[in-house]
Short mmCIF file of all heavy atoms in Angstrom, two decimals:
data_model
loop_
_atom_site.label_atom_id
_atom_site.label_comp_id
_atom_site.label_asym_id
_atom_site.label_seq_id
_atom_site.Cartn_x
_atom_site.Cartn_y
_atom_site.Cartn_z
N LEU A 5 5.02 -1.86 -7.30
CA LEU A 5 5.60 -3.23 -7.06
C LEU A 5 7.19 -3.17 -7.09
O LEU A 5 7.74 -4.24 -6.66
CB LEU A 5 5.07 -4.17 -8.21
CG LEU A 5 3.54 -4.47 -8.07
CD1 LEU A 5 3.18 -5.41 -9.21
CD2 LEU A 5 3.19 -5.05 -6.83
N VAL A 6 7.69 -2.12 -7.44
CA VAL A 6 9.16 -1.97 -7.36
C VAL A 6 9.60 -1.76 -5.93
O VAL A 6 10.46 -2.51 -5.46
CB VAL A 6 9.72 -0.89 -8.21
CG1 VAL A 6 11.21 -0.71 -8.06
CG2 VAL A 6 9.33 -1.18 -9.69
N THR A 7 8.89 -0.91 -5.25
CA THR A 7 9.21 -0.64 -3.86
C THR A 7 8.48 -1.59 -2.95
O THR A 7 8.75 -1.64 -1.73
CB THR A 7 8.92 0.76 -3.47
OG1 THR A 7 7.53 1.03 -3.75
CG2 THR A 7 9.78 1.74 -4.27
N GLY A 8 7.48 -2.24 -3.50
CA GLY A 8 6.61 -3.20 -2.72
C GLY A 8 5.69 -2.46 -1.69
O GLY A 8 5.76 -2.72 -0.46
N GLU A 9 4.91 -1.56 -2.16
CA GLU A 9 4.03 -0.73 -1.29
C GLU A 9 2.84 -0.30 -2.09
O GLU A 9 2.81 -0.23 -3.35
CB GLU A 9 4.71 0.49 -0.68
CG GLU A 9 5.29 1.46 -1.68
CD GLU A 9 6.22 2.51 -1.02
OE1 GLU A 9 6.82 2.16 -0.01
OE2 GLU A 9 6.22 3.62 -1.50
N ILE A 10 1.76 0.01 -1.34
CA ILE A 10 0.56 0.69 -1.98
C ILE A 10 0.01 1.72 -1.04
O ILE A 10 0.08 1.71 0.14
CB ILE A 10 -0.50 -0.48 -2.12
CG1 ILE A 10 -1.69 -0.01 -2.89
CG2 ILE A 10 -0.90 -1.10 -0.72
CD1 ILE A 10 -2.71 -1.00 -3.33
N ARG A 11 -0.43 2.75 -1.76
CA ARG A 11 -1.16 3.87 -0.98
C ARG A 11 -2.56 3.65 -1.05
O ARG A 11 -3.18 3.42 -2.09
CB ARG A 11 -0.81 5.20 -1.78
CG ARG A 11 0.64 5.68 -1.67
CD ARG A 11 0.85 6.91 -2.51
NE ARG A 11 2.23 7.41 -2.39
CZ ARG A 11 2.66 8.31 -1.48
NH1 ARG A 11 1.77 8.85 -0.56
NH2 ARG A 11 3.84 8.71 -1.43
N VAL A 12 -3.17 3.73 0.11
CA VAL A 12 -4.64 3.53 0.27
C VAL A 12 -5.30 4.70 1.03
O VAL A 12 -4.61 5.34 1.87
CB VAL A 12 -5.00 2.20 0.97
CG1 VAL A 12 -4.51 1.01 0.16
CG2 VAL A 12 -4.36 2.10 2.35
N MET A 13 -6.53 4.94 0.72
CA MET A 13 -7.30 5.95 1.36
C MET A 13 -8.14 5.30 2.57
O MET A 13 -9.00 4.49 2.24
CB MET A 13 -8.25 6.59 0.43
CG MET A 13 -8.83 7.92 1.03
SD MET A 13 -7.66 9.20 1.33
CE MET A 13 -7.09 9.64 -0.31
N GLY A 14 -7.77 5.56 3.84
CA GLY A 14 -8.45 4.98 4.99
C GLY A 14 -9.56 5.74 5.45
O GLY A 14 -10.11 6.67 4.83
N LYS A 15 -9.93 5.46 6.74
CA LYS A 15 -10.98 6.16 7.39
C LYS A 15 -10.59 7.68 7.55
O LYS A 15 -9.48 8.03 7.73
CB LYS A 15 -11.22 5.57 8.75
CG LYS A 15 -12.02 4.26 8.75
CD LYS A 15 -12.34 3.80 10.10
CE LYS A 15 -13.16 2.51 10.10
NZ LYS A 15 -13.46 2.04 11.44
N GLY A 16 -11.66 8.58 7.45
CA GLY A 16 -11.37 9.97 7.60
C GLY A 16 -10.61 10.56 6.45
O GLY A 16 -9.97 11.59 6.53
N SER A 17 -10.65 9.89 5.25
CA SER A 17 -9.93 10.27 4.09
C SER A 17 -8.41 10.47 4.38
O SER A 17 -7.87 11.44 3.84
CB SER A 17 -10.51 11.61 3.52
OG SER A 17 -11.85 11.43 3.12
N LYS A 18 -7.90 9.68 5.14
CA LYS A 18 -6.50 9.64 5.50
C LYS A 18 -5.69 8.67 4.67
O LYS A 18 -6.06 7.44 4.68
CB LYS A 18 -6.31 9.41 6.99
CG LYS A 18 -6.75 10.48 7.89
CD LYS A 18 -6.44 10.16 9.43
CE LYS A 18 -7.04 11.26 10.29
NZ LYS A 18 -6.77 10.92 11.73
N GLU A 19 -4.79 9.18 3.95
CA GLU A 19 -3.92 8.27 3.08
C GLU A 19 -2.77 7.77 3.90
O GLU A 19 -2.17 8.40 4.64
CB GLU A 19 -3.45 9.02 1.82
CG GLU A 19 -2.76 8.14 0.85
CD GLU A 19 -2.27 8.90 -0.29
OE1 GLU A 19 -1.31 9.75 -0.18
OE2 GLU A 19 -2.77 8.87 -1.48
N ARG A 20 -2.45 6.42 3.59
CA ARG A 20 -1.35 5.84 4.29
C ARG A 20 -0.67 4.87 3.24
O ARG A 20 -1.26 4.43 2.32
CB ARG A 20 -1.61 5.08 5.53
CG ARG A 20 -2.43 3.79 5.43
CD ARG A 20 -2.80 3.22 6.72
NE ARG A 20 -3.21 1.85 6.70
CZ ARG A 20 -4.45 1.52 6.23
NH1 ARG A 20 -5.38 2.49 5.92
NH2 ARG A 20 -4.90 0.21 6.18
N ILE A 21 0.58 4.61 3.47
CA ILE A 21 1.32 3.72 2.71
C ILE A 21 1.59 2.45 3.46
O ILE A 21 2.02 2.44 4.63
CB ILE A 21 2.74 4.30 2.31
CG1 ILE A 21 2.52 5.60 1.54
CG2 ILE A 21 3.53 3.38 1.47
CD1 ILE A 21 3.81 6.39 1.26
N VAL A 22 1.25 1.26 2.86
CA VAL A 22 1.42 -0.08 3.54
C VAL A 22 2.33 -0.95 2.69
O VAL A 22 2.28 -0.82 1.46
CB VAL A 22 0.06 -0.68 3.85
CG1 VAL A 22 -0.65 0.12 4.89
CG2 VAL A 22 -0.78 -0.87 2.62
N PRO A 23 3.10 -1.78 3.30
CA PRO A 23 3.92 -2.70 2.50
C PRO A 23 3.14 -3.77 1.81
O PRO A 23 2.08 -4.21 2.30
CB PRO A 23 4.91 -3.24 3.60
CG PRO A 23 4.10 -3.19 4.88
CD PRO A 23 3.27 -1.92 4.73
N VAL A 24 3.71 -4.30 0.78
CA VAL A 24 3.15 -5.43 0.04
C VAL A 24 4.19 -6.56 -0.01
O VAL A 24 5.21 -6.35 -0.48
CB VAL A 24 2.76 -5.05 -1.48
CG1 VAL A 24 2.15 -6.24 -2.23
CG2 VAL A 24 1.72 -3.93 -1.35
N GLY A 25 3.82 -7.67 0.64
CA GLY A 25 4.71 -8.79 0.65
C GLY A 25 5.05 -9.37 -0.68
O GLY A 25 4.40 -9.18 -1.70
N ALA A 26 6.11 -10.16 -0.75
CA ALA A 26 6.57 -10.79 -2.03
C ALA A 26 5.54 -11.65 -2.68
O ALA A 26 5.31 -11.56 -3.91
CB ALA A 26 7.88 -11.51 -1.80
N PRO A 27 4.94 -12.57 -1.97
CA PRO A 27 3.94 -13.39 -2.68
C PRO A 27 2.63 -12.56 -3.25
O PRO A 27 2.25 -12.90 -4.27
CB PRO A 27 3.41 -14.32 -1.50
CG PRO A 27 4.49 -14.43 -0.62
CD PRO A 27 5.13 -13.03 -0.52
N ALA A 28 2.30 -11.53 -2.50
CA ALA A 28 1.31 -10.60 -2.90
C ALA A 28 1.70 -9.91 -4.18
O ALA A 28 0.97 -9.71 -5.18
CB ALA A 28 0.82 -9.70 -1.83
N SER A 29 3.04 -9.40 -4.25
CA SER A 29 3.53 -8.74 -5.44
C SER A 29 3.49 -9.66 -6.67
O SER A 29 3.14 -9.26 -7.74
CB SER A 29 4.94 -8.23 -5.09
OG SER A 29 4.96 -7.30 -4.10
N ASP A 30 3.92 -10.91 -6.47
CA ASP A 30 3.92 -11.88 -7.53
C ASP A 30 2.46 -12.04 -8.01
O ASP A 30 2.19 -12.07 -9.29
CB ASP A 30 4.46 -13.12 -7.15
CG ASP A 30 6.03 -13.17 -6.84
OD1 ASP A 30 6.56 -12.13 -7.33
OD2 ASP A 30 6.56 -14.03 -6.31
N ALA A 31 1.53 -12.19 -7.19
CA ALA A 31 0.14 -12.43 -7.51
C ALA A 31 -0.43 -11.18 -8.23
O ALA A 31 -1.16 -11.34 -9.20
CB ALA A 31 -0.74 -12.80 -6.31
#
């Protein structure tokens, strides 16, 4: 939540980093 991102495991066991918006970070 400091950088505003999350690492997730997608299809084919491929990891990616996606941004997390400010309202989502607060929640």
Side-chain angles (χ1 to χ4, degrees):
L5 294 179
V6 175
T7 60
E9 61 190 29
I10 186 170
R11 292 175 178 266
V12 295
M13 192 66 68
K15 287 185 177 180
S17 298
K18 293 181 179 179
E19 188 180 69
R20 73 182 189 283
I21 302 174
V22 292
V24 178
S29 293
D30 290 346

